[in-house]
Amino acid sequence: MAKPPAPGPHDDEDAPAFDLSGPAGGGMPPVDDERGFFAEQPPKAGALKKRAAIGDVVETPETHYHGHRDRLRSRFRDSGDTALADYEILELLLFRLIPRRDTKPIAKALIARFGTLAGVIGANPALLQEVKGVGENVALDLKLVASVAQRMLKSEIRGKQVLSSWSSVIDYCHTAMAYESTEQFRILFLDKRNALIADEVQGRGTVDHTPVYPREVVKRALELSATAIILVHNHPSGDPTPSRADIDMTKMIVDTAKPLGITVHDHIIIGRDGHASLRGLRLI
């Protein structure tokens, strides 16, 4: 049997998407992103006959993965997400983003690279694009899913008494911050009923440090007429254990806010594998 033909210029998803159409015709149409780039072009009839004549198995797009997609959709429809592994849920999503390509290898590669489905959805777009098969548009679409998840969780705490919805607060903060590649300092501003007034990112830093200025924190609380705040920041290392700098900074904010009638309910540190509460640890 003859060796399969060498990959063409559009078989490698990392290759640039050139417009090969020209006055002579017969070229591939220009593509706007990797979804069109991955679209399989129907082979010419002459090429099919030639391949069949030398004994190659000629596959149509449906032969390769169409049946698999239908079976996966049926399992999800009949049994819900509990019947599917994380990579299969990701496959279902990628079906929409990359409509004409076998997405199972891409889904498995993403899970292998980022560990979990949450890790994939929360990953930085630039890191997502390091996985073969993922281009800029697919990476941005995955980040859109992350934004939808954050908005859903945030709606669970908006206008409610935050202290009585603590698990929802933790879920929201974890989704919003756990997979950030740099430190992020966030403040939840609360009214006298401990309902959420505002949720603001006050600073972004490096992989292990974010500059925080207590007077700026208190100034913003006064501007919003907040009577209580919850401090939140993430540890990109994944370990939520508070550092000495975290503890000292929290005490400075507590001491600055208290004379002005502003209570610091807690300082939550978010890591990939969990969270730490400074109040729970009796550090404030």
Side-chain angles (χ1 to χ4, degrees), residues 145-180:
V145 174
S147 295
V148 170
Q150 290 177 27
R151 293 291 180 93
M152 289 176 63
L153 291 170
K154 189 173 183 178
S155 69
E156 293 297 313
I157 61 174
R158 183 180 289 117
K160 298 180 181 179
Q161 290 188 356
V162 169
L163 299 184
S164 63
S165 306
W166 196 245
S167 62
S168 297
V169 172
I170 298 300
D171 288 344
Y172 166 65
C173 292
H174 191 274
T175 300
M177 305 172 70
Y179 298 97
E180 290 287 329

Side-chain angles (χ1 to χ4, degrees), residues 22-276:
M28 293 180 65
V31 291
D32 296 325
D33 56 45
E34 70 282 354
R35 288 166 290 189
F37 182 70
F38 286 145
E40 296 187 15
Q41 303 297 321
K44 295 181 180 180
L48 285 175
K49 290 180 180 179
K50 182 177 180 181
R51 290 169 60 189
I54 60 176
D56 284 352
V57 177
V58 179
E59 291 187 339
T60 64
E62 291 77 13
T63 303
H64 187 45
Y65 58 79
H66 185 70
H68 170 66
R69 290 189 171 197
D70 285 345
R71 289 189 295 272
L72 206 56
R73 290 190 183 103
S74 295
R75 286 170 56 199
F76 180 72
R77 181 185 61 242
D78 297 340
S79 304
D81 67 290
T82 57
L84 303 177
D86 277 4
Y87 81 87
E88 291 174 317
I89 292 289
L90 188 53
E91 270 194 87
L92 282 174
L93 177 59
L94 292 174
F95 289 170
R96 301 293 182 182
L97 307 183
I98 309 174
R100 296 183 180 87
R101 186 177 174 88
D102 181 6
T103 58
K104 179 187 285 187
I106 301 173
K108 286 189 171 182
L110 284 166
I111 295 293
R113 172 68 174 79
F114 299 104
T116 64
L117 181 58
V120 174
I121 300 302
N124 183 283
L127 296 179
L128 287 169
Q129 291 178 69
E130 292 178 1
V131 175
K132 185 176 181 180
V134 177
E136 181 180 4
N137 285 281
V138 168
L140 290 177
D141 284 344
L142 290 174
K143 295 309 297 179
L144 175 60
V145 174
S147 295
V148 170
Q150 290 177 27
R151 293 291 180 93
M152 289 176 63
L153 291 170
K154 189 173 183 178
S155 69
E156 293 297 313
I157 61 174
R158 183 180 289 117
K160 298 180 181 179
Q161 290 188 356
V162 169
L163 299 184
S164 63
S165 306
W166 196 245
S167 62
S168 297
V169 172
I170 298 300
D171 288 344
Y172 166 65
C173 292
H174 191 274
T175 300
M177 305 172 70
Y179 298 97
E180 290 287 329
S181 57
T182 57
E183 279 201 9
Q184 182 184 101
F185 185 75
R186 180 184 298 265
I187 305 176
L188 306 182
F189 297 94
L190 312 178
D191 64 15
K192 62 182 179 181
R193 299 181 302 110
N194 286 321
L196 184 67
I197 297 175
D199 161 32
E200 297 181 354
V201 176
Q202 294 292 302
R204 300 176 187 272
T206 63
V207 294
D208 60 1
H209 175 70
T210 302
V212 178
Y213 303 99
R215 62 185 178 184
E216 294 299 324
V217 172
V218 174
K219 176 184 176 184
R220 183 57 177 156
L222 292 172
E223 290 173 349
L224 294 171
S225 299
T227 58
I229 58 177
I230 297 173
L231 312 175
V232 190
H233 86 279
N234 63 307
H235 281 180
S237 66
D239 180 3
T241 303
S243 66
R244 172 48 59 183
D246 294 334
I247 298 168
D248 292 343
M249 177 265 291
T250 304
K251 288 181 177 179
M252 288 179 62
I253 294 176
V254 170
D255 292 342
T256 305
K258 187 175 181 179
L260 298 173
I262 300 170
T263 301
V264 178
H265 281 316
D266 206 346
H267 184 173
I268 304 168
I269 302 175
I270 300 293
R272 290 189 182 90
D273 301 323
H275 73 280

